[in-house]
Amino acid sequence: MEILAFGVQSDEKPLIEKAFAGKHEVRCLDVFLNQDTAPIAAGYEAVSTSVNADLGSGVLQTLAAGGTQMIAQRSTGFNNIDLDVAERLAMRVARVSYYSPYSVAEFAWTLAMAVNRRVIRAASRTRDFDFRLDGLLGRDMHGRTAGIIGTGKIGEAFTRIAHGFGMNLLGWDVVENPACVELGMRYVEKEQLLAESDLISLHVPLLPSTHHIIDRQALARMKDDAILINSSRGGLVDTTALVGELRAGRFLGVGLDVYEAEAGLFFLDKSLEGVDDDTLARLVTFPNVIVTSHQAYYTQDAVSQIIEATVRNIDDYLAHRSSENVLVPAAPAP
């Protein structure tokens, strides 16, 4: 079978072609799946999509009309997919339920230390041969408190690194992780975690219950000199409220690898045309803020695991097998 893969990065393409070799034909496109590009998939029974694909009702109907019966998303998150519509259209949908949690956890810590130690500002200065230390004062993480919102696999990996720094550990989740408790984590109410943590990192999925989990009230509870890191999903943070707090001079630093309106921006080159998103434009002007373009997962290890799982998802579809990756089980009858 020939698969059409949307939103393939240049680094990702050889890994996809190698993983599919000898099993299926794959055509890689660098364009992302949306209403304008969906007609390209006509005649393809299976398509593979990236995390920022638009898989809303209109796109799904276009795909189905063109003969697509299986969607293999190359990500864990699936908040971009209208699963109810996919089910009505008898389309099978699968995701990647697991890949290296260390990729995201390590990058979250990269953001935390970069804003704490003013690495971007320091590197920019030295390129201009300005070697002053003014404005570069950071602080030790040892002995301070890390608050981890979401203690699944990625949250646990982040917690292990925090434990290595010698930090006090606070956690919040619907279910306690025994491995985190063993490391010394105390599970507390979210309000207490926000008020007591020097560093807060978000590792929960984007659901209706977690949308804007960091809203204006949550931001108000945080310490004025706290660090906030989001490497999960942009919709977890009310960005407009965050900008308001930053304008008031709050927070030691903010590191965002995701943004709630990133679709149509992230993974694309907008340097020659600019962006008309006033909130994002204001956000990146703050000297204590780092915004990266959803790259936390982007290691050779994690991407390879994502692609291997995608191949298995397509193999399972063809063999009429189910797995933990299947979100909508519809499949053609044997």
Side-chain angles (χ1 to χ4, degrees):
M1 184 169 65
E2 186 176 12
I3 294 95
L4 184 62
F6 285 92
V8 177
Q9 305 296 314
S10 58
D11 296 327
E12 188 183 13
K13 183 176 179 180
L15 297 175
I16 288 179
E17 292 176 339
K18 181 180 179 180
F20 278 90
K23 291 189 173 184
H24 311 287
E25 296 293 324
V26 60
R27 178 186 174 196
C28 295
L29 302 178
D30 58 2
V31 297
F32 296 96
L33 178 60
N34 55 40
Q35 192 65 64
D36 293 330
T37 60
I40 301 172
Y44 286 90
E45 183 178 345
V47 299
S48 178
T49 59
S50 60
V51 64
N52 273 346
D54 174 2
L55 285 161
S57 176
V59 172
L60 290 173
Q61 291 181 54
T62 300
L63 292 176
T68 299
Q69 300 178 36
M70 196 274 173
I71 297 168
Q73 175 134 304
R74 302 188 308 278
S75 73
T76 297
F78 54 91
N79 54 283
N80 61 318
I81 308 173
D82 192 326
L83 298 180
D84 292 334
V85 171
E87 185 173 12
R88 288 201 300 272
L89 294 170
M91 301 177 76
R92 179 165 172 138
V93 181
R95 61 163 177 164
V96 177
S97 59
Y98 176 85
Y99 62 86
S100 169
Y102 310 108
S103 60
V104 179
E106 290 171 5
F107 192 80
W109 267 107
T110 300
L111 289 176
M113 295 309 295
V115 296
N116 176 38
R117 301 306 300 268
R118 313 299 195 213
V119 172
I120 303 300
R121 182 186 297 180
S124 178
R125 281 186 184 178
T126 55
R127 287 176 65 89
D128 293 330
F129 302 103
D130 178 354
F131 301 103
R132 293 172 300 157
L133 296 181
D134 295 342
L136 304 181
L137 189 67
R139 62 187 185 190
D140 292 357
M141 288 296 179
H142 179 84
R144 287 189 161 81
T145 299
I148 296 89
I149 296 180
T151 56
K153 292 182 177 66
I154 297 173
E156 178 187 332
F158 186 92
T159 299
R160 291 187 182 280
I161 299 171
H163 180 261
F165 273 106
M167 301 187 75
N168 303 311
L169 305 171
L170 297 180
W172 179 87
D173 207 330
V174 293
V175 177
E176 294 187 5
N177 184 335
C180 292
V181 174
E182 187 175 341
L183 292 169
M185 174 175 281
R186 289 191 299 117
Y187 280 86
V188 297
E189 294 297 322
K190 178 163 53 84
E191 291 74 16
Q192 181 179 347
L193 181 149
L194 293 168
E196 296 182 7
S197 298
D198 301 294
L199 165 65
I200 295 169
S201 191
L202 308 181
H203 300 288
V204 293
L206 181 58
L207 304 168
S209 60
T210 60
H211 180 257
H212 284 183
I213 193 171
I214 302 299
D215 57 12
R216 192 175 305 278
Q217 290 72 31
L219 291 165
R221 291 188 177 95
M222 291 169 55
K223 294 181 178 181
D224 288 342
D225 60 352
I227 293 173
L228 174 64
I229 304 297
N230 185 13
S231 58
S232 185
R233 287 292 182 269
L236 300 177
V237 177
D238 182 341
T239 316
T240 301
L242 176 61
V243 168
E245 297 299 307
L246 289 165
R247 291 183 63 186
R250 300 189 65 223
F251 307 137
L252 177 67
V254 174
L256 304 175
D257 184 52
V258 288
Y259 173 60
E260 59 181 326
E262 67 183 56
L265 292 175
F266 282 20
F267 305 146
L268 299 173
D269 182 1
K270 297 288 186 178
S271 60
L272 297 180
E273 56 187 281
V275 299
D276 57 5
D277 187 322
D278 292 338
T279 302
L280 179 60
R282 184 70 180 93
L283 189 64
V284 298
T285 64
F286 292 103
N288 58 334
V289 174
I290 295 177
V291 179
T292 53
S293 54
H294 207 140
Q295 71 180 81
Y297 78 98
Y298 206 53
T299 67
Q300 187 174 31
D301 308 82
V303 172
S304 295
Q305 291 169 14
I306 289 169
I307 294 169
E308 289 165 4
T310 300
V311 174
R312 289 195 302 273
N313 287 340
I314 292 171
D315 289 343
D316 288 343
Y317 162 76
L318 291 172
H320 313 290
R321 292 189 300 258
S322 187
S323 76
E324 71 278 7
N325 290 339
V326 176
L327 298 170
V328 178

